[in-house]
Amino acid sequence: MKKAFIFDLDGVIVDTAKFHYLAWRNLAKGIDFDFTEEQNEQFKGVSRVRSLEILLDMAKYTATQEQKEVWLVQKNEEYLKYIQKMDESEILPDVPRVLDYLIENQQGIALGSASKNARPILERVSLLDKFQAIVDGNDVTAAKPDPEVFVKGAQALKTEAKDCIVFEDSIAGIQAANAAGMISIGIGDPTVLHEAFHVFTNFTELSNDFLQELIAS
Ligand code: B16
Ligand code: MG
């Protein structure tokens, strides 16, 4: 049976949260706000624009639209500097094994990410050619937990929602997959991702037998 497997990017394929954190922390410093790594958790799966709004709320800082736009460009420029240094060593454990197993079994593979930098990141880590479709922050109008990004991924692979499996590390992403009527698989902390159909701490815990069960179901 042919299924569509839709992967989130940040936190599922690579850990770019640390780079987002460094760039947001630098911006926060400029308004005398000490942005912590713990606070950065709230930014996972959240769009760039919304992340800035949350940061300014945390700092209790009111900014003009013009200032916000300047900051968004600056933050992304700094983030891109980190991205340019990425290579294959940044791929999270066992991601290539899972992708290759799905390819060997002729399954659909798409990316469903909130990031507008998804393509350059996949290029940097040499995984771009594993994906038959890429839906990212440039293609959607509504952010996760809205299901748009995954619905578009399913459309691109010409697969019905019920035959789609989504791998996600964020609560908003799990909610988006559930809202789309897809099978959600959390990658991360089971207590945080308890709304998911299944949760694995990382792909190393997710066996080829489990993938085969999903394919056959
Ligand atoms: P960018 P994902 C998300 O990627 C990140 O988790 C989130 O922290 C980030 O703000 C968002 O992409 C936008 O990223 O600034 O590169 O457009 O987890 O949906 O793959
Ligand atoms: Mg993510």
Side-chain angles (χ1 to χ4, degrees):
M1 172 108 195
K2 187 163 176 186
K3 296 282 167 76
F5 290 80
I6 309 178
F7 291 74
D8 174 50
L9 179 65
D10 178 21
V12 169
I13 292 177
V14 286
D15 176 21
T16 44
K18 59 189 180 208
F19 302 135
H20 282 296
Y21 171 64
L22 291 173
W24 285 127
R25 190 185 62 177
N26 208 12
L27 194 153
K29 239 186 235 165
I31 53 169
D32 278 335
F33 179 62
D34 185 17
F35 180 54
T36 67
E37 236 176 314
E38 201 183 338
Q39 287 168 323
N40 191 55
E41 284 297 305
Q42 293 179 44
F43 288 29
K44 288 188 176 174
V46 174
S47 73
R48 197 182 311 164
V49 171
R50 181 76 194 116
S51 299
L52 177 62
E53 281 165 10
I54 300 172
L55 182 75
L56 294 174
D57 275 354
M58 285 172 175
K60 299 194 179 26
Y61 194 97
T62 311
T64 62
Q65 191 53 34
E66 213 182 350
Q67 178 64 74
K68 286 184 198 171
E69 273 156 28
V70 170
W71 279 333
L72 286 170
V73 172
Q74 278 175 359
K75 185 267 167 182
N76 197 49
E77 280 172 357
E78 185 177 346
Y79 178 67
L80 286 175
K81 281 186 195 154
Y82 298 119
I83 296 310
Q84 272 148 26
K85 291 183 193 143
M86 286 179 83
D87 62 22
E88 287 159 48
S89 67
E90 300 273 352
I91 300 171
L92 288 170
D94 267 16
V95 169
R97 191 252 309 159
V98 169
L99 289 170
D100 289 342
Y101 185 83
L102 296 175
I103 291 167
E104 275 164 32
N105 285 274
Q106 289 92 42
Q107 300 300 299
I109 302 178
L111 190 87
S113 167
S115 175
K116 292 187 171 177
N117 298 302
R119 278 176 189 274
I121 293 170
L122 287 177
E123 266 172 26
R124 291 297 321 156
V125 300
S126 307
L127 285 180
L128 191 58
D129 63 347
K130 307 271 184 196
F131 292 84
Q132 294 144 24
I134 292 188
V135 183
D136 64 20
N138 299 296
D139 306 308
V140 294
T141 50
K144 300 168 188 174
D146 189 284
E148 185 183 4
V149 67
F150 298 135
V151 170
K152 287 197 167 155
Q155 283 167 352
L157 295 179
K158 298 186 175 43
T159 308
E160 284 182 56
K162 68 173 179 53
D163 294 321
C164 293
I165 296 104
V166 172
F167 296 112
E168 253 293 346
D169 72 312
S170 71
I171 301 169
I174 294 293
Q175 290 169 341
N178 291 344
M182 301 176 179
I183 295 174
S184 56
I185 311 261
I187 302 294
D189 185 342
T191 54
V192 176
L193 303 174
H194 59 88
E195 288 177 51
F197 185 62
H198 281 284
V199 184
F200 297 93
T201 309
N202 53 47
F203 279 112
T204 304
E205 288 185 357
L206 193 159
S207 67
N208 288 353
D209 285 350
F210 180 80
L211 292 172
Q212 196 49 245
E213 276 173 35
L214 290 170
I215 294 168
S217 65

